[in-house]
C-alpha cells in the first residue's frame, strides 16, 4: 500500500492506494460519530457494497443506492440523499461514504457539503477516473441542464481509499476514460511521466496491477501538489482543466452520459494541443505524439462530426473557466508544461474548432 | 451611519447601519465583476427594487423575484435562482444581491455558495429580524420537508447594508418578530442591554428610528463578536440558538410560515428560561421578567396549545443541535449569560414541555 497526503492545513487528508484495501476495513479511524450513510449506485453496490458494510458493523449504517450514470447527477437525485439522511435522522456527526465513480463521489461530496451545513465524507473511488482525479481535491457538485458541475462546493473528504483490485471489474471503455486524465498529468506537469505512459500504455490497458498502481500514485501526487498550492482554483490548479473547456462542450453537446468524461477530455486535449501548435508553442510532432498516446489508450481524438465551431463557441461561453466574458484556456508550452491564458488568436481558435480546415 | 466589522481573516466584511443607505448606492465597492443578480421577493421588490437598481446602472444587471414567504424557502425555488444565473450566463465573478428578509438572504446566500462552487454576495436586509440576525454570520440554506435549514452552507457575504428607513414599511408583527432576536442578545450576552430593552420596548414598537438604530447596532455587534470567535458553530456561536431548538419544533409543528420565526423563538426562549429556572439556575422572577419583555415586544410566550410533549421530543430530535443523539440546549445561567449544555434533568424538561403541569 502507498500513502499520500493532501496538505491543506486543518483540512489535510490521506490518500491510500493499494490492492484489496476495501476488504481491510480501513475506514473506522475516519468516522467520528456513530452514524454512517453509504452512497453507491446500482452497478457498484452489488459488487462491493457488502465488503464495505462488513467493516462497519459497529456503526448505525444506512444506505442510498442511486441509478448509475452522469444523467442522474442532478438536484433531483441529490435530494434522494438528503431525504434518506433525514428519514434516518442523521445528525451533524454523521459520515457519508461515496462508493463508486466520479458521479457518486461528486454527489456524495456535495450532499456532505450541504447537509446541516457540512458533515464529513470519505471517498472510495471504484473507477480509474475517480481514483486519479475526482476523488482528490474536494470539488463536488451536480449538473444543471445548462452546464456541467454548475452547482457545487469545495468540500474536502477526510480520507480517500483507492483499491486497485476493483479496476479488474471496470469496463475497458471506462479504464480508457481514466487514462485520459492520467495522460493529462504527464502533459501539464511531468514530461518523464508522459514518456513512461508511452512505454506502458499496453500494460495499463491490460490492467497490469503494478503499472496501474504507479500511474494512480503519480497522478494523485501531482494533483495533491497542485491542490495544496491552490485549493479553490484561483491560480495553478486551473492547469488541471487542460482539455476540459473543449471537453465539457463536447459532453454537453452530445448529451450527458453519451460521451464518457475522459473521452471528451481526450478529444478536448488534442484540440488544446492543436491550438498550442497553431500558436507556435509546441511542434506538430508533439501534437502527433499526444494524439498517438490517446489512441494507444483507446480514446477518441476528434470531437463529434456534427459539432460546428458556432456550437463550440456557444457552449464554451457558459463554461466556468470564462472570466468576465473572456475565454481562458489551458494550453501547452511543451509536453510537461501548461499555461492558463487568454492570449491566443481568435483565428487560430477558429481553425482548431473547424478541425484544421 | 454606523459601521461594524465581522472579523474573519480574509473573509472579513463590513456591516453598515443607517437611515437611507439603499438610496446612497454604497454597493459598487463590493462588486468585483460586471455582472449582478438581484434576488428579491414579490413584497419587497415593488417597494425598493428600483432604488437599488438605480445605483447599479453601470453593471449587467439581472433579477429573480421569488414568491414571498418561508413556504418557498426550498430547493425548488432555489433552482429558480440557478436557472436565471445560467440563462443570463453569469460567470464566476458575478455578485448576487439579496434584497429582502431572512428567507431571501438565506436562499441568495446559499445560491451564491453553490453557483459555480461559490460566488460573492451582498446582503440588503429589509426586516428587523434579518438586520439583527440572519444577514450577519454566513449561515445560508433552505428548508427540507423534514426540518428547517437542513440543507445549507456557511458562506459569508462581502458586505451587509442595513437601511433602518425600510423598517417604517414593515408590518408590526414582523417588527415584533425581529425584537425576539434582539432580546435574545441581551439574554445571552449583555444584561445592561436587556435593561435598556425593558426601558425602550415601547419606542422600538413605535419604530423610533434612533432606538431601532441602537438596537440593531448592539445586536450586530454581539453577533459579530460571537461569529468571529467561532465561524462554524463548534462552540460559543451556539449560544445564539437560545430558544431555537424549542422554536424550530414549534415552527415545524405549525407548518412553515404559520408562526413567524421570531414568534417561535420568543415562545421557545421562555421555555428555555423556564427549564433554566427548574434547574435552579435563574429565579422565577427572572423568568417572569423575560416573559414580560417578550409580551411588551408584542410576542407570544407559549407554544401552540395542541403541541404535546411527545410532539416536541420527536421534532427536537431531528434538530441540528442534537449531537450523537443527545439533546443539547442553550439555557440561561443568569440574565446576560447562557450555556450550551446536555446537563438538564429529563423530568424538568418534561415539565417545561408540559407547560409546567
Amino acid at each position: 500500500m502507498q500513502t499520500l497526503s493532501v496538505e491543506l492545513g486543518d483540512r489535510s487528508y490521506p490518500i491510500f492506494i493499494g490492492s484489496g484495501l476495501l476488504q481491510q476495513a480501513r475506514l473506522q479511524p475516519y468516522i467520528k460519530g456513530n452514524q454512517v450513510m453509504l452512497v453507491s449506485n446500482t452497478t457498484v453496490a452489488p459488487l462491493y457494497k457488502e465488503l464495505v458494510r462488513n467493516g462497519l458493523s459497529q456503526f448505525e449504517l444506512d444506505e442510498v443506492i442511486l441509478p448509475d450514470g452522469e444523467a442522474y447527477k442532478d438536484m433531483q437525485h441529490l435530494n434522494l440523499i438528503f431525504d434518506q439522511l433525514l428519514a434516518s435522522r442523521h445528525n451533524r456527526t454523521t459520515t457519508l461514504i461515496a462508493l463508486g465513480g466520479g458521479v457518486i463521489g461528486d454527489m456524495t461530496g456535495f450532499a456532505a457539503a450541504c447537509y446541516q451545513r457540512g458533515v464529513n465524507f470519505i471517498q472510495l473511488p471504484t473507477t480509474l477516473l475517480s481514483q486519479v482525479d475526482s476523488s482528490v481535491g474536494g470539488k463536488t457538485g451536480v449538473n444543471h441542464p445548462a452546464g456541467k458541475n454548475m452547482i457545487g462546493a469545495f468540500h474536502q473528504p477526510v480520507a480517500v481509499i483507492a483499491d486497485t483490485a476493483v479496476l479488474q471489474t471496470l469496463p475497458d471503455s471506462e479504464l480508457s476514460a481514466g487514462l485520459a486524465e492520467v495522460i493529462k498529468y504527464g502533459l501539464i506537469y511531468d514530461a518523464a511521466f508522459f514518456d513512461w505512459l508511452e512505454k506502458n500504455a499496453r500494460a495499463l490497458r491490460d490492467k497490469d496491477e503494478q503499472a496501474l498502481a504507479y500511474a494512480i500514485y503519480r497522478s494523485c501526487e501531482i494533483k495533491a501538489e497542485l491542490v495544496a498550492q491552490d485549493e479553490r482554483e484561483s491560480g495553478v490548479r486551473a492547469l488541471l482543466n487542460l482539455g476540459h473547456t473543449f471537453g465539457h462542450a463536447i459532453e454537453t453537446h452530445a448529451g450527458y452520459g453519451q460521451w464518457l468524461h475522459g473521452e471528451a477530455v481526450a478529444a478536448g486535449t488534442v484540440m488544446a494541443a492543436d491550438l498550442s501548435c497553431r500558436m507556435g508553442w509546441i511542434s506538430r510532432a508533439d501534437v502527433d505524439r499526444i494524439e498517438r498516446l490517446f489512441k494507444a489508450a483507446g480514446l477518441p481524438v476528434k470531437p463529434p462530426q456534427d459539432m460546428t465551431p458556432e456550437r463550440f463557441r456557444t457552449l464554451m461561453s457558459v463554461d466556468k473557466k470564462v472570466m468576465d466574458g473572456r475565454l481562458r484556456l489551458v494550453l501547452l508550452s511543451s509536453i510537461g508544461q501548461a499555461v492558463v491564458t487568454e492570449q491566443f488568436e481568435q483565428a487560430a481558435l477558429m481553425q482548431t474548432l473547424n478541425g484544421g480546415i
Side-chain angles (χ1 to χ4, degrees), chain A:
Chain A
M1 184 185 73
Q2 289 178 290
T3 307
L4 281 167
S5 177
V6 184
E7 297 296 342
L8 290 167
D10 60 0
R11 291 185 306 288
S12 296
Y13 55 93
I15 306 169
F16 301 103
I17 301 157
S19 186
L21 297 185
L22 287 189
Q23 239 161 344
Q24 292 169 35
R26 304 193 148 267
L27 298 170
Q28 293 97 326
Y30 304 100
I31 299 172
K32 67 176 178 183
N34 61 352
Q35 294 177 311
V36 174
M37 179 64 71
L38 181 65
V39 183
S40 190
N41 69 33
T42 47
T43 305
V44 174
L47 296 170
Y48 302 114
K49 189 183 84 174
E50 289 311 319
L51 263 188
V52 175
R53 289 191 71 111
N54 287 344
L56 297 169
S57 52
Q58 71 270 51
F59 298 100
E60 191 185 307
L61 179 56
D62 297 291
E63 64 178 43
V64 189
I65 309 299
L66 299 173
D68 182 17
E70 183 87 21
Y72 306 102
K73 186 178 165 180
D74 58 18
M75 282 290 217
Q76 188 193 333
H77 291 84
L78 181 75
N79 270 328
L80 297 179
I81 305 177
F82 295 134
D83 292 346
Q84 187 60 52
L85 283 164
L86 282 155
S88 306
R89 303 199 162 207
H90 281 239
N91 61 49
R92 281 180 176 170
T93 65
T94 190
T95 301
L96 274 59
I97 297 181
L99 174 69
V103 170
I104 289 295
D106 284 7
M107 293 179 75
T108 307
F110 188 41
C114 298
Y115 186 62
Q116 304 207 10
R117 298 198 190 94
V119 299
N120 283 351
F121 82 112
I122 296 169
Q123 292 270 21
L124 303 182
T126 59
T127 64
L128 180 59
L129 180 64
S130 57
Q131 291 184 350
V132 298
D133 184 21
S134 58
S135 68
V136 175
K139 278 194 183 179
T140 70
V142 295
N143 299 328
H144 183 279
K148 263 178 74 83
N149 295 319
M150 283 289 158
I151 320 294
F154 286 96
H155 188 59
Q156 302 294 340
V158 294
V160 180
I161 299 173
D163 184 345
T164 53
V166 305
L167 301 180
Q168 298 302 323
T169 60
L170 193 68
D172 290 347
S173 62
E174 295 216 29
L175 189 92
S176 290
L179 290 175
E181 299 281 358
V182 173
I183 294 167
K184 178 195 75 179
Y185 291 112
L187 282 171
I188 63 172
Y189 205 78
D190 186 349
F193 185 45
F194 188 87
D195 296 345
W196 182 90
L197 288 168
E198 290 183 315
K199 293 189 188 73
N200 290 275
R202 188 72 256 159
L204 290 165
R205 288 191 72 182
D206 290 345
K207 296 183 179 168
D208 176 285
E209 276 229 41
Q210 254 189 317
L212 284 170
Y214 177 70
I216 295 164
Y217 180 83
R218 184 61 189 139
S219 296
C220 286
E221 196 172 38
I222 293 171
K223 178 148 190 185
E225 205 163 312
L226 292 171
V227 168
Q229 284 176 46
D230 175 25
E231 183 178 6
R232 295 181 75 90
E233 195 171 306
S234 48
V236 69
R237 181 170 179 166
L239 298 180
L240 294 168
N241 296 320
L242 177 68
H244 283 60
T245 300
F246 297 114
H248 282 166
I250 294 171
E251 282 182 273
T252 305
H253 172 79
Y256 293 144
Q258 297 303 302
W259 276 54
L260 292 176
H261 175 68
E263 292 170 345
V265 166
T269 300
V270 174
M271 293 176 79
D274 179 76
L275 179 53
S276 307
C277 171
R278 287 179 194 281
M279 294 303 298
W281 300 343
I282 64 173
S283 67
R284 185 53 60 187
D286 284 336
V287 180
D288 293 343
R289 207 180 142 197
I290 293 165
E291 207 173 307
R292 261 198 312 278
L293 179 52
F294 280 120
K295 278 186 185 159
L299 289 159
V301 294
K302 298 254 179 261
Q305 281 202 321
D306 66 343
M307 247 187 117
T308 61
E310 290 65 40
R311 181 72 174 143
F312 261 110
R313 292 176 71 96
T314 303
L315 292 171
M316 294 195 321
S317 75
V318 292
D319 190 272
K320 286 195 296 302
K321 266 74 74 186
V322 178
M323 305 268 290
D324 284 317
R326 284 172 304 184
L327 183 62
R328 289 155 65 89
L329 291 171
V330 185
L331 298 178
L332 294 170
S333 47
S334 68
I335 287 178
Q337 195 161 30
V339 289
V340 180
T341 181
E342 296 165 7
Q343 307 300 315
F344 49 84
E345 287 157 22
Q346 288 301 310
L349 175 62
M350 285 307 287
Q351 286 182 309
T352 293
L353 296 182
N354 258 313
I357 301 157

